[in-house]
Amino acid sequence: MKKIFAATVLASTALTAHANSLATSPLVGARYSLDAYSIDTAGNTTLLPGRQISKSNSTHRLCWQVVSDTPIFDKNVAVKEVFQSPQGAVFNDGKSIVQSSFDGTKHTVTTLVNSINQSAIQRCWQFDGGDPTGIYKLDAEIAGFALPSQTFTIVP
């Protein structure tokens, strides 16, 4: 049940093409989105419906981003992700500080993220066969600014 941070760089145009899924964030002039994608070996992305990620499909990723039309971020930005999950989930990306509840239902991941041209922050997660299925919730903060809560579903 080891969670692997997907170090895949998604083309900003592929993510921002889904403008209808962007919501206004507390960061002035920035847009926030969270979606599920399939990413092939060539880096091409396909939006998955309903924010459903199949833990048995290695091309599926959960990605969230905050994008601004102008530079608003430092080069390195403090990010905190709080995941609420079904019991027994494990989160690990190999470089962040992760604190999980004893029952594995709450996971706080804190890290420094390199901004993209000081105009975007992006994180992607991959799930695998050991992850529990069900509804997950993500609360994220960027440099202390809370983003709207989002939910997604892990399916077999």
Side-chain angles (χ1 to χ4, degrees):
M1 287 198 290
K2 181 179 180 185
K3 198 77 56 274
I4 301 170
F5 176 72
T8 308
V9 176
L10 300 176
S12 292
T13 54
L15 290 175
T16 56
H18 304 290
N20 59 348
S21 68
L22 297 177
T24 303
S25 84
L27 300 168
V28 176
R31 296 168 308 278
Y32 172 48
S33 67
L34 177 137
D35 283 300
Y37 293 91
S38 177
I39 305 169
D40 66 21
T41 55
N44 299 313
T45 61
T46 303
L47 182 66
L48 300 173
R51 293 184 180 162
Q52 290 193 353
I53 299 104
S54 172
K55 67 182 188 173
S56 61
N57 188 328
S58 64
T59 68
H60 285 193
R61 305 284 190 277
L62 171 80
C63 298
W64 66 267
Q65 71 171 2
V66 175
V67 177
S68 174
D69 294 331
T70 59
I72 60 171
F73 299 113
D74 292 331
K75 285 187 176 188
N76 295 308
V77 181
V79 171
K80 179 168 97 173
E81 298 163 293
V82 179
F83 290 92
Q84 297 285 337
S85 69
Q87 188 172 5
V90 176
F91 281 77
N92 181 16
D93 70 359
K95 64 179 182 177
S96 300
I97 297 170
V98 180
Q99 296 176 320
S100 295
S101 62
F102 181 72
D103 63 356
T105 60
K106 183 177 180 181
H107 317 273
T108 303
V109 181
T110 51
T111 192
L112 285 177
V113 175
N114 293 329
S115 65
I116 302 167
N117 296 325
Q118 295 181 304
S119 299
I121 299 293
Q122 180 181 61
R123 295 275 286 172
C124 291
W125 292 90
Q126 179 180 6
F127 295 81
D128 62 28
D131 292 308
T133 58
I135 297 173
Y136 288 63
K137 178 182 165 190
L138 170 63
D139 290 296
E141 289 182 14
I142 296 179
F145 292 98
L147 301 171
S149 293
Q150 301 285 337
T151 60
F152 59 95
T153 305
I154 302 300
V155 297

